[in-house]
Amino acid sequence: MTDSPDLPLAGLLVLDMSLFLAGPFAALRLQDLGARVIKVERPDGGDPSRGLYKEDDEIDSLLFHIINRGKESIALNLKDETDRAVLFKLIDKADVLIQNYRPGVAERLGFGYDEMKKRNPGLVYAAISGYGAEGPWVGLPGQDLLAQARSGIMWLSGNEGDAPTPTGLALADVSTGVTAAQGILAALVGRARSGKGALIETNLLDTLLDLQFEQLAMYMNKGQLPRRSSQSNANAYAPAPYGVYETADGYLAIAMTPMDRLADLIGCPALKEIDQSANDVTLNRDEMKATLGARLIGKSTQYWLDILQPADIWCAEVMDWEALLASEQGQIIDMVQEIALDEGGTMKTARIPMRLNGARMGSTRPGPALGAHSHAIRAELAGS
């Protein structure tokens, strides 16, 4: 539940019937913006993410808390008629319902969209899946790594010759959660005008393809499959020097930069002698990067920044989290919030990455204990 009644979604009720990450992340974003989020969980263990990567001394995992902070929890057995009646009462009151069951499961359990819009015509219903509601992949597990594997995105990371390289974060889940939240917010705006709810459907595969729109368009329109550079690969369609280079004490990222100008600034005339074609960005790209890398490794990162940044060369130190959070900019952006745990102690997590009327938003409560709000919610429904 939000800590402030002044946030834009205050007064809206969201039912989070989803598991793991994509759906709960969408619900978290709505909670951050002021909605009341009730997490509907099974009594026998609840969301499996409660136990994911859990330490021995933790009641629920850190991962569960950061995805479900500020929410309420009601434990319901969806095969029990009494509990089903409670669920339907909640749906009658809800503004938004989010579920990420495999396609067809919600319908078999009796709370598919077609039935629920009859009960609550203003309901915004978000269904998240792995690969959509049709086709031969419908029944396959919709999991982040597996979606990345099928999407083509693994061939964009890593250097030429490397095995397909997944991202180091749950990219499919998080980006799909963001997409679902965008669709839900758009449907709520539409409902304010028409009074009618909507069905929002998104899936991990669609979202990953959308993230690759630039590279995918190059392939579909020009027939060019991406060819990763043998070193310092970043965007597979970008010319040299675009990439990350080792220095004497760290790493330096260099983006779009005229190679002749860069060669003069760093004192590397050999770069000018390598032919760089405007029509084929991969022509001699590896040779140019190797030549550039051999020059940069001889001096420190700061040495090169002191030369390149005043010349308006697009470059940056490659930082880890420790360096970023300790930096002046890391302190100014104020993206870290502290949450008090019910069992004692605190945890730190990232805030929603936006400000409202100049102010940061955040919540101080952790994820709920399984069924912690069951009694209060049942009493509330009985009273209504």
Side-chain angles (χ1 to χ4, degrees):
M1 187 182 297
T2 180
D3 296 338
S4 171
D6 299 323
L7 293 173
L9 299 187
L12 293 182
L13 174 60
V14 176
L15 297 186
D16 180 6
M17 300 186 67
S18 57
L19 307 172
F20 288 112
L21 187 49
F25 188 84
L28 175 64
R29 276 292 169 259
L30 303 180
Q31 189 276 146
D32 282 332
L33 292 168
R36 177 189 182 188
V37 179
I38 297 177
K39 189 171 181 67
V40 179
E41 300 185 80
R42 302 175 309 187
D44 57 340
D47 187 333
S49 70
R50 288 183 178 273
L52 205 59
Y53 319 132
K54 186 175 74 171
E55 302 290 341
D56 292 339
D57 60 345
E58 292 178 333
I59 297 174
D60 293 309
S61 70
L62 176 65
L63 176 64
F64 174 81
H65 281 298
I66 62 176
I67 304 168
N68 295 286
R69 54 182 166 77
K71 301 178 185 179
E72 302 171 46
S73 172
I74 184 170
L76 296 176
N77 179 357
L78 300 186
K79 296 182 180 180
D80 177 85
E81 289 305 317
T82 300
D83 281 8
R84 287 171 62 84
V86 172
L87 173 64
F88 290 137
K89 281 187 178 182
L90 281 172
I91 292 173
D92 290 344
K93 294 182 61 176
D95 298 286
V96 178
L97 185 153
I98 302 172
Q99 58 92 350
N100 61 353
Y101 291 90
R102 291 191 191 185
V105 172
E107 287 73 17
R108 289 198 297 272
L109 290 173
F111 57 90
Y113 175 66
D114 289 340
E115 289 300 314
M116 294 306 96
K117 73 176 179 179
K118 296 175 185 176
R119 299 185 63 98
N120 182 352
L123 182 67
V124 174
Y125 187 109
I128 300 172
S129 64
Y131 312 102
E134 299 176 325
W137 294 357
V138 165
L140 297 178
Q143 192 272 339
D144 188 280
L145 181 66
L146 306 184
Q148 286 193 47
R150 294 185 171 101
S151 72
I153 201 167
M154 290 186 182
W155 291 105
L156 296 176
S157 299
N159 292 333
E160 182 68 23
D162 289 349
T165 306
T167 63
L169 69 159
L171 182 67
D173 282 332
V174 173
S175 56
T176 301
V178 172
T179 300
Q182 290 174 338
I184 290 166
L185 293 172
L188 288 170
V189 172
R191 188 184 72 169
R193 296 172 177 168
S194 68
K196 297 179 181 178
L199 171 64
I200 304 297
E201 296 176 283
T202 189
N203 64 75
L204 306 184
L205 185 62
D206 283 1
T207 303
L208 287 175
L209 288 174
D210 178 61
L211 289 176
Q212 300 173 84
F213 74 93
E214 177 188 359
Q215 292 79 11
L216 189 61
M218 290 290 290
Y219 165 66
M220 293 188 297
N221 292 283
K222 297 188 176 182
Q224 296 179 2
L225 281 170
R227 190 185 75 78
R228 299 181 290 183
S229 177
S230 64
Q231 55 191 301
S232 305
N233 183 63
N235 186 320
Y237 287 104
Y242 201 96
V244 175
Y245 299 88
E246 188 174 1
T247 66
D249 62 352
Y251 290 88
L252 180 71
I254 303 178
M256 291 78 70
T257 298
M259 189 61 84
D260 285 356
R261 185 157 179 257
L262 181 62
D264 289 337
L265 286 167
I266 66 173
C268 186
L271 281 174
K272 292 184 175 182
E273 300 172 5
I274 304 172
D275 183 29
Q276 185 175 26
S277 171
N279 297 318
D280 180 6
V281 299
T282 66
L283 179 66
N284 297 327
R285 181 175 61 181
D286 292 348
E287 182 183 355
M288 282 183 281
K289 287 189 171 185
T291 302
L292 176 58
R295 174 62 176 155
L296 295 177
I297 201 170
K299 300 289 185 180
S300 70
T301 299
Q302 192 60 52
Y303 175 89
W304 294 121
L305 289 174
D306 290 342
I307 292 173
L308 299 177
Q309 285 185 328
D312 199 28
I313 297 297
W314 291 9
C315 59
E317 176 187 0
V318 177
M319 308 174 82
D320 58 17
W321 296 323
E322 182 179 11
L324 170 62
L325 295 176
S327 70
E328 182 180 359
Q329 188 65 40
Q331 298 294 315
I332 289 172
I333 61 175
D334 190 27
M335 266 296 292
V336 177
Q337 63 182 336
E338 193 168 272
I339 294 174
L341 297 174
D342 293 337
E343 59 267 30
T346 61
M347 70 173 189
K348 293 180 180 180
T349 185
R351 298 181 187 273
I352 181 174
M354 66 176 70
R355 296 175 188 262
L356 179 64
N357 298 322
R360 273 289 187 196
M361 295 171 283
S363 56
T364 59
R365 280 170 292 181
L370 176 58
H373 305 90
S374 294
H375 179 74
I377 294 171
R378 288 173 184 269
E380 177 185 335
L381 293 174
S384 66

